[in-house]
Amino acid sequence: MAFTKKLEFYNFTLKFGDEKVLLDLFYEIVMPSFHEMKYVRKIREKGEYFFLDTKLVVVDRTPPIPVLGVAGRIVKNTTLKRDQIFRSGGGLIENKGELETAPSSTFLLILNNHRLVYCKEVAGAPTISNFQSTSQKFMKLRHAEFVNERYEEAKLERVLIPESERVSKRAILEEFPYPKLRVTPLSDKESLKDFIARLKHIDSLAITLLPTNDEEIDNDDFWTDLGRRRREMNSKNAKVNFSNSSEGLDGEKVYEQAKAASNLANSEVRLKGHDILGDTLKGTNEDFSLTVELQELPRDTVLAADVKYKQFDSLVKKGIIVIPKLVDGVAKKIMAILDGL
């Protein structure tokens, strides 16, 4: 049976402390972390992960601010091992063997809105969890190099200009904190509605608002106000719990609030309830994430990026995916990156 390719959609939130986000250190840390086989993440007895065929691409030149992205491939290079096989005439037979394999997934990170389009190319391909942990690891490695480079530059400046201010690595880390990456699934409204419809009795709904990249979020008034209060209090997140285990929550209202909060993938949604048989059901963003099946996807990562973006843009135009407004600061950074191509 042929492997069915599916596009998966995520929000790629990268923060360097509270002040800096993805585009602030794009050339210094983000793009170098994706360079082809620059870094290799090795996992004992499980193989190694690395990026291939990564390029900075323009996926749409029609808007006033062209749409840029990082296209590439993540590879899991490993060896499959076996100890025994089965034969109808002889049952289980000891038969040791090994097979090299390198399944892969392709991705498009859209820089204008920090959305990630991901696709497993073959069975056993790296999952989005593998991608997130690998990307986080490589950014940390590149960040360490960057801090050392800044430190060596400061030392050289003091040699050339003795009256220059002494700079410590601690001071550099305060200016450029460690990277923290979070990849959140974009929710499918219909999958969310279907999941809630399966719940005869809804015990609880928990919604956590999370930090975003430098985005102008257009949630409804309640969630906008909650997000503002979270920022004012310098909180990493803001959580709201709705619960009524005795009588149950209203399904329509649960859908309305969960949909509003998850519109721009800056929230974690957790549902708990019981189905018609009395079995406990629990759901999170991953249980109602958005996917689109594809018949074919080009092997070339640049051509694949064009297909991914067209599918993404189509979903935006249909209102299935909501993207943040392009604020002036982001637009200027995008144009600066474009000028460097």
Side-chain angles (χ1 to χ4, degrees), residues 58-117:
V58 181
V59 289
D60 190 355
R61 292 185 179 274
T62 56
I65 306 298
V67 181
L68 305 185
V70 178
R73 173 176 281 115
I74 180 173
V75 178
K76 178 183 180 181
N77 190 33
T78 187
T79 302
L80 300 179
K81 297 181 179 180
R82 74 164 186 241
D83 294 306
Q84 57 188 20
I85 58 176
F86 177 78
R87 292 288 181 264
S88 56
L92 289 174
I93 302 170
E94 183 176 340
N95 188 306
K96 296 185 180 297
E98 293 186 351
L99 176 67
E100 291 184 9
T101 183
S104 59
S105 299
T106 59
F107 62 89
L108 170 65
L109 173 58
I110 305 170
L111 300 180
N112 299 52
N113 50 50
H114 310 105
R115 298 305 185 253
L116 176 73
V117 187

Coordinates of all heavy atoms in Angstrom, one line a residue, residues 58-117:
V58 N 11.8 32.5 -1.5 CA 10.6 33.4 -1.6 C 9.5 32.6 -2.2 O 9.5 32.1 -3.3 CB 11.0 34.6 -2.6 CG1 9.8 35.6 -2.6 CG2 12.2 35.3 -2.1
V59 N 8.4 32.5 -1.4 CA 7.3 31.6 -1.9 C 6.1 32.4 -2.5 O 5.2 31.9 -3.1 CB 6.8 30.7 -0.7 CG1 7.8 29.7 -0.4 CG2 6.4 31.6 0.5
D60 N 6.2 33.8 -2.3 CA 5.1 34.6 -2.9 C 5.7 36.0 -3.0 O 5.9 36.7 -2.0 CB 3.9 34.6 -2.0 CG 2.7 35.2 -2.7 OD1 2.8 35.8 -3.8 OD2 1.6 35.2 -2.1
R61 N 5.8 36.5 -4.3 CA 6.3 37.9 -4.5 C 5.2 38.9 -4.8 O 5.4 40.0 -5.0 CB 7.2 37.8 -5.7 CG 8.5 37.1 -5.5 CD 9.5 37.2 -6.6 NE 10.8 36.5 -6.4 CZ 11.8 37.1 -5.8 NH1 11.7 38.3 -5.4 NH2 12.9 36.4 -5.6
T62 N 3.9 38.4 -4.8 CA 2.8 39.3 -5.1 C 2.5 40.3 -4.0 O 2.1 41.5 -4.4 CB 1.6 38.5 -5.5 OG1 1.2 37.6 -4.4 CG2 1.8 37.7 -6.7
P63 N 2.5 40.0 -2.7 CA 2.2 41.0 -1.7 C 3.2 42.2 -1.7 O 4.4 42.0 -2.2 CB 2.2 40.3 -0.4 CG 2.2 38.8 -0.8 CD 2.9 38.7 -2.1
P64 N 2.8 43.3 -1.1 CA 3.8 44.4 -1.0 C 5.1 44.0 -0.2 O 6.2 44.4 -0.5 CB 3.0 45.5 -0.2 CG 1.6 45.2 -0.5 CD 1.5 43.7 -0.7
I65 N 4.8 43.1 0.8 CA 5.9 42.5 1.6 C 6.0 41.0 1.1 O 5.1 40.2 1.5 CB 5.7 42.6 3.1 CG1 5.5 44.0 3.5 CG2 6.9 42.0 3.8 CD1 6.6 44.9 3.3
P66 N 7.0 40.6 0.3 CA 7.0 39.3 -0.2 C 7.1 38.3 1.0 O 7.5 38.6 2.1 CB 8.3 39.3 -1.0 CG 8.5 40.7 -1.4 CD 8.0 41.5 -0.3
V67 N 6.6 37.0 0.7 CA 6.6 36.0 1.7 C 7.9 35.1 1.6 O 8.1 34.5 0.6 CB 5.4 35.1 1.6 CG1 5.3 34.1 2.7 CG2 4.1 36.0 1.6
L68 N 8.6 35.1 2.7 CA 9.9 34.3 2.7 C 9.7 33.1 3.6 O 8.9 33.0 4.5 CB 11.0 35.2 3.3 CG 11.3 36.5 2.7 CD1 12.5 37.2 3.3 CD2 11.5 36.4 1.2
G69 N 10.5 32.1 3.3 CA 10.5 30.9 4.1 C 11.8 30.2 4.1 O 12.7 30.4 3.2
V70 N 12.0 29.3 5.1 CA 13.1 28.3 5.1 C 12.6 27.0 4.7 O 11.7 26.4 5.4 CB 13.8 28.3 6.5 CG1 14.9 27.3 6.5 CG2 14.3 29.6 6.9
A71 N 13.0 26.4 3.6 CA 12.6 25.1 3.1 C 13.7 24.1 3.3 O 14.9 24.5 3.2 CB 12.2 25.2 1.6
G72 N 13.4 22.9 3.7 CA 14.4 21.9 3.9 C 13.9 20.6 4.2 O 12.7 20.3 4.0
R73 N 14.8 19.7 4.6 CA 14.4 18.3 4.9 C 15.1 17.9 6.2 O 16.3 18.2 6.4 CB 14.9 17.4 3.7 CG 14.8 16.0 3.8 CD 15.1 15.2 2.5 NE 14.0 15.3 1.6 CZ 14.1 15.9 0.4 NH1 15.2 16.5 0.0 NH2 13.0 15.8 -0.4
I74 N 14.4 17.1 7.0 CA 15.1 16.5 8.2 C 15.2 15.0 8.0 O 14.2 14.4 7.5 CB 14.3 16.8 9.5 CG1 15.0 16.2 10.7 CG2 12.8 16.4 9.4 CD1 14.4 16.6 12.0
V75 N 16.3 14.5 8.2 CA 16.6 13.1 8.0 C 16.9 12.3 9.3 O 17.6 12.8 10.1 CB 17.8 12.9 7.0 CG1 18.1 11.4 6.8 CG2 17.6 13.6 5.7
K76 N 16.3 11.1 9.4 CA 16.7 10.2 10.5 C 17.5 9.1 9.9 O 17.0 8.2 9.2 CB 15.4 9.6 11.1 CG 15.7 8.7 12.3 CD 14.5 8.1 12.8 CE 14.8 7.1 14.0 NZ 13.6 6.5 14.5
N77 N 18.8 9.1 10.1 CA 19.7 8.1 9.6 C 19.9 7.0 10.7 O 20.5 7.3 11.7 CB 21.1 8.8 9.2 CG 22.0 7.8 8.5 OD1 21.5 7.0 7.7 ND2 23.3 8.0 8.6
T78 N 19.5 5.8 10.4 CA 19.5 4.8 11.4 C 19.7 3.4 10.8 O 19.8 3.3 9.6 CB 18.2 4.8 12.2 OG1 18.3 3.9 13.4 CG2 17.0 4.4 11.4
T79 N 19.7 2.4 11.6 CA 19.9 1.0 11.2 C 18.8 0.2 11.9 O 18.7 0.2 13.1 CB 21.3 0.4 11.5 OG1 22.3 1.2 10.9 CG2 21.4 -1.0 11.1
L80 N 18.0 -0.5 11.1 CA 17.0 -1.4 11.7 C 17.6 -2.7 11.9 O 18.3 -3.3 11.1 CB 15.8 -1.5 10.7 CG 15.1 -0.3 10.3 CD1 14.0 -0.6 9.3 CD2 14.5 0.4 11.5
K81 N 17.3 -3.3 13.1 CA 17.9 -4.6 13.5 C 16.8 -5.6 13.7 O 15.8 -5.3 14.2 CB 18.8 -4.4 14.7 CG 20.0 -3.5 14.6 CD 20.8 -3.4 15.8 CE 22.0 -2.4 15.7 NZ 22.8 -2.3 16.9
R82 N 17.1 -6.8 13.4 CA 16.2 -7.9 13.7 C 16.9 -9.1 14.4 O 18.1 -9.3 14.1 CB 15.5 -8.4 12.4 CG 16.3 -9.2 11.5 CD 15.5 -10.0 10.5 NE 16.3 -10.9 9.7 CZ 16.4 -10.8 8.4 NH1 15.8 -9.9 7.7 NH2 17.2 -11.7 7.7
D83 N 16.2 -9.8 15.2 CA 16.8 -11.0 15.9 C 16.2 -12.3 15.4 O 16.8 -13.3 15.5 CB 16.6 -10.8 17.4 CG 17.4 -9.7 18.0 OD1 18.6 -9.6 17.7 OD2 16.8 -8.8 18.6
Q84 N 14.9 -12.2 14.9 CA 14.3 -13.5 14.5 C 13.2 -13.2 13.5 O 12.8 -12.1 13.3 CB 13.7 -14.2 15.7 CG 12.7 -13.3 16.5 CD 12.2 -14.0 17.7 OE1 12.9 -14.9 18.3 NE2 11.0 -13.6 18.2
I85 N 12.9 -14.3 12.7 CA 11.8 -14.2 11.7 C 10.8 -15.3 11.9 O 11.1 -16.3 12.7 CB 12.4 -14.3 10.3 CG1 13.2 -15.6 10.1 CG2 13.2 -13.0 10.0 CD1 13.7 -15.7 8.7
F86 N 9.7 -15.3 11.3 CA 8.7 -16.4 11.4 C 8.5 -17.1 10.1 O 8.4 -16.5 9.0 CB 7.3 -15.8 11.8 CG 6.3 -16.8 11.9 CD1 6.2 -17.7 13.0 CD2 5.3 -16.9 10.9 CE1 5.2 -18.6 13.1 CE2 4.3 -17.9 10.9 CZ 4.2 -18.7 12.0
R87 N 8.5 -18.4 10.1 CA 8.2 -19.2 8.9 C 7.1 -20.2 9.3 O 7.1 -20.8 10.4 CB 9.4 -20.0 8.5 CG 10.6 -19.2 8.0 CD 10.2 -18.6 6.6 NE 11.3 -17.8 6.0 CZ 11.3 -16.5 6.0 NH1 10.4 -15.9 6.7 NH2 12.3 -15.9 5.5
S88 N 6.1 -20.3 8.4 CA 4.9 -21.1 8.7 C 5.3 -22.6 9.0 O 4.6 -23.2 9.8 CB 3.9 -21.1 7.5 OG 4.6 -21.5 6.3
G89 N 6.3 -23.1 8.4 CA 6.7 -24.5 8.6 C 7.6 -24.6 9.9 O 7.6 -25.7 10.5
G90 N 8.3 -23.6 10.3 CA 9.2 -23.7 11.4 C 9.0 -22.8 12.5 O 9.8 -22.8 13.5
G91 N 8.0 -22.0 12.5 CA 7.7 -21.0 13.6 C 8.8 -19.9 13.7 O 9.3 -19.5 12.6
L92 N 9.1 -19.5 14.9 CA 10.1 -18.5 15.0 C 11.5 -19.0 14.9 O 11.9 -20.0 15.5 CB 10.0 -17.8 16.4 CG 8.7 -17.0 16.7 CD1 8.6 -16.5 18.1 CD2 8.7 -15.8 15.7
I93 N 12.3 -18.4 14.0 CA 13.6 -18.8 13.7 C 14.6 -17.7 14.0 O 14.4 -16.5 13.6 CB 13.8 -19.2 12.3 CG1 12.8 -20.3 11.9 CG2 15.2 -19.6 11.9 CD1 12.7 -20.6 10.5
E94 N 15.7 -18.0 14.7 CA 16.7 -16.9 15.0 C 17.4 -16.6 13.7 O 17.8 -17.4 12.9 CB 17.7 -17.5 16.0 CG 18.8 -16.4 16.3 CD 19.8 -16.9 17.4 OE1 19.5 -17.9 18.1 OE2 20.9 -16.3 17.4
N95 N 17.3 -15.3 13.4 CA 17.9 -14.8 12.1 C 18.3 -13.3 12.3 O 17.4 -12.4 12.2 CB 16.9 -14.9 11.0 CG 17.5 -14.6 9.7 OD1 18.0 -13.6 9.4 ND2 17.3 -15.6 8.7
K96 N 19.5 -13.1 12.6 CA 19.9 -11.7 12.9 C 20.3 -11.0 11.6 O 20.8 -11.6 10.7 CB 21.1 -11.7 13.9 CG 20.9 -12.3 15.2 CD 22.0 -12.1 16.2 CE 21.7 -12.7 17.5 NZ 20.7 -11.9 18.2
G97 N 19.9 -9.7 11.6 CA 20.2 -8.9 10.4 C 20.1 -7.4 10.6 O 19.5 -7.0 11.6
E98 N 20.6 -6.7 9.7 CA 20.6 -5.2 9.8 C 20.2 -4.6 8.5 O 20.6 -5.2 7.4 CB 21.9 -4.7 10.3 CG 22.2 -5.0 11.7 CD 23.5 -4.3 12.2 OE1 24.2 -3.7 11.4 OE2 23.8 -4.4 13.4
L99 N 19.6 -3.5 8.5 CA 19.2 -2.8 7.3 C 19.3 -1.3 7.5 O 18.7 -0.7 8.4 CB 17.7 -3.1 6.9 CG 17.2 -2.3 5.7 CD1 17.9 -2.8 4.4 CD2 15.7 -2.6 5.5
E100 N 20.2 -0.6 6.7 CA 20.3 0.8 6.8 C 19.1 1.5 6.2 O 18.6 1.1 5.2 CB 21.6 1.3 6.0 CG 22.9 0.9 6.7 CD 24.1 1.4 5.9 OE1 23.9 2.3 5.1 OE2 25.2 1.0 6.2
T101 N 18.6 2.6 6.9 CA 17.5 3.3 6.4 C 17.6 4.8 6.8 O 18.2 5.1 7.8 CB 16.2 2.7 6.9 OG1 15.0 3.4 6.4 CG2 16.1 2.8 8.5
A102 N 17.1 5.7 6.0 CA 17.2 7.1 6.2 C 15.9 7.8 5.8 O 15.8 8.6 4.9 CB 18.3 7.7 5.5
P103 N 14.8 7.5 6.6 CA 13.5 8.2 6.3 C 13.6 9.7 6.5 O 14.4 10.1 7.3 CB 12.5 7.5 7.2 CG 13.4 7.0 8.4 CD 14.7 6.6 7.7
S104 N 12.8 10.5 5.8 CA 12.9 11.9 5.9 C 11.5 12.6 5.8 O 10.5 12.0 5.4 CB 13.7 12.4 4.7 OG 13.2 12.1 3.5
S105 N 11.5 13.8 6.3 CA 10.3 14.7 6.2 C 10.8 16.0 5.7 O 12.0 16.4 5.9 CB 9.7 14.9 7.6 OG 9.3 13.7 8.2
T106 N 9.9 16.7 5.0 CA 10.2 18.1 4.5 C 9.5 19.1 5.3 O 8.4 18.8 5.8 CB 9.9 18.2 3.0 OG1 8.6 17.9 2.7 CG2 10.8 17.2 2.2
F107 N 10.0 20.4 5.2 CA 9.3 21.4 6.0 C 9.4 22.8 5.3 O 10.3 23.0 4.4 CB 9.9 21.5 7.4 CG 11.4 21.9 7.4 CD1 11.8 23.2 7.4 CD2 12.3 20.9 7.4 CE1 13.1 23.5 7.5 CE2 13.7 21.2 7.5 CZ 14.1 22.5 7.5
L108 N 8.5 23.6 5.6 CA 8.6 25.0 5.1 C 8.2 25.9 6.3 O 7.1 25.8 6.9 CB 7.6 25.3 4.0 CG 7.4 26.8 3.6 CD1 8.7 27.4 3.1 CD2 6.3 27.0 2.7
L109 N 9.2 26.7 6.8 CA 9.0 27.6 7.9 C 8.8 29.0 7.3 O 9.7 29.6 6.6 CB 10.2 27.7 8.8 CG 10.2 28.7 9.9 CD1 9.0 28.6 10.8 CD2 11.5 28.7 10.7
I110 N 7.5 29.5 7.4 CA 7.1 30.8 6.7 C 7.5 31.9 7.7 O 7.0 32.0 8.8 CB 5.6 30.8 6.4 CG1 5.3 29.6 5.6 CG2 5.2 32.1 5.7 CD1 3.8 29.4 5.4
L111 N 8.5 32.7 7.3 CA 9.0 33.7 8.2 C 8.1 34.9 8.5 O 8.1 35.5 9.6 CB 10.3 34.3 7.6 CG 11.4 33.2 7.4 CD1 12.7 33.9 6.8 CD2 11.8 32.5 8.7
N112 N 7.2 35.2 7.6 CA 6.3 36.4 7.7 C 5.3 36.1 8.9 O 4.9 37.1 9.5 CB 5.5 36.7 6.5 CG 6.4 37.0 5.3 OD1 7.4 36.3 5.0 ND2 6.2 38.1 4.7
N113 N 4.9 34.9 9.1 CA 3.9 34.6 10.1 C 4.3 33.5 11.1 O 3.5 33.1 11.9 CB 2.6 34.3 9.5 CG 2.7 33.3 8.4 OD1 3.3 32.2 8.6 ND2 2.1 33.6 7.2
H114 N 5.5 33.0 11.0 CA 6.0 31.9 11.8 C 5.2 30.7 11.8 O 5.1 29.9 12.8 CB 6.2 32.5 13.3 CG 6.8 33.8 13.4 ND1 6.2 34.9 13.6 CD2 8.2 34.1 13.3 CE1 7.1 35.9 13.7 NE2 8.3 35.4 13.5
R115 N 4.6 30.4 10.7 CA 3.9 29.1 10.6 C 4.8 28.1 9.9 O 5.6 28.4 9.0 CB 2.6 29.3 9.8 CG 1.6 30.3 10.4 CD 1.2 29.9 11.8 NE 0.2 30.7 12.4 CZ 0.4 31.7 13.3 NH1 1.6 31.9 13.8 NH2 -0.6 32.4 13.8
L116 N 4.6 26.8 10.3 CA 5.4 25.7 9.8 C 4.5 24.7 9.1 O 3.5 24.3 9.6 CB 6.1 25.0 11.0 CG 6.9 23.8 10.6 CD1 8.2 24.2 9.9 CD2 7.3 23.1 11.9
V117 N 4.9 24.4 7.8 CA 4.2 23.3 7.1 C 5.1 22.1 7.0 O 6.2 22.3 6.5 CB 3.8 23.8 5.7 CG1 2.9 22.8 5.0 CG2 3.0 25.2 5.7

